[in-house]
Amino acid sequence: METECYETMMDSMPEAGGGYTYRKVLRVDLERDRCTVLKSDPEGWQPGEGPLSGQMSRFALSGAIHREDAERFVTFTRLDSLRRVASGEQEALTLVYRRRVGDGFRWNLMEVIPDRSGGTRYATLCVKDVDDVFREGVEREGLAARSREMIR
């Protein structure tokens, strides 16, 4: 029954940008500071043993997250931040950050969504790569600014 519930949730999660799907989805147990992997890109970071919040902090400070984004990433993934979403103090929580890929960085979006099936004990953490969408938006904004200048 539990597996069916998660499969239904995964099938119903929206896709932004026509195909930009979540590449990592974790169900976080906020009491135990652990997670269950619901979906994960095999080429990316994988949760290991031990407290999830510590793993996320080490991941950010290892250089995997851009140095200008690392502190925000660590704060965002702390249990107290995740608990605020699960308790209903916040509807959802989002973070846009740069993650190392090869020799460069790509923009990612992390969302924390309350998991109402588990009361306030669980939250769902979802990550997707939004670099292409982000860069297209910047390009469009640049074109729009140039067009406005030409019109003046």
Side-chain angles (χ1 to χ4, degrees):
M1 178 67 180
E2 190 171 296
T3 303
E4 291 173 18
C5 175
Y6 294 132
E7 288 174 359
T8 301
M9 180 183 77
M10 295 299 297
D11 291 341
S12 67
M13 288 186 137
E15 293 183 17
Y20 291 94
T21 62
Y22 293 112
R23 60 180 178 77
K24 186 172 303 297
V25 180
L26 308 175
R27 184 173 193 236
V28 181
D29 183 329
L30 299 169
E31 288 179 12
R32 295 182 47 236
D33 196 11
R34 302 289 194 270
C35 72
T36 302
V37 177
L38 303 177
K39 179 180 181 181
S40 186
D41 179 353
E43 298 167 10
W45 172 81
Q46 302 298 317
E49 296 298 317
L52 179 64
S53 55
Q55 292 180 58
M56 299 292 274
S57 179
R58 285 188 298 279
F59 176 71
L61 300 175
S62 73
I65 304 299
H66 193 282
R67 61 182 165 73
E68 294 175 6
D69 302 332
E71 186 177 325
R72 282 185 310 108
F73 184 95
V74 170
T75 300
F76 182 89
T77 57
R78 285 192 181 126
L79 279 182
D80 58 333
S81 297
L82 302 179
R83 284 182 180 130
R84 279 195 296 278
V85 173
S87 71
E89 289 178 42
Q90 289 182 273
E91 187 62 32
L93 195 60
T94 60
L95 172 72
V96 176
Y97 63 95
R98 290 162 286 185
R99 182 176 180 276
R100 182 173 299 284
V101 177
D103 293 333
F105 289 90
R106 290 186 60 85
W107 288 98
N108 280 248
L109 172 73
M110 183 184 299
E111 298 175 285
V112 180
I113 304 162
D115 184 344
R116 298 294 180 222
S117 66
T120 60
R121 179 175 179 173
Y122 298 99
T124 304
L125 192 147
C126 308
V127 178
K128 60 183 156 187
D129 182 306
V130 294
D131 195 79
D132 295 336
V133 173
F134 186 78
R135 291 183 192 279
E136 287 171 14
V138 169
E139 282 181 28
R140 265 187 257 126
E141 191 61 36
L143 289 173
R146 285 194 294 274
S147 295
R148 285 191 296 271
E149 287 297 318
M150 292 173 59
I151 293 172
R152 290 185 188 173

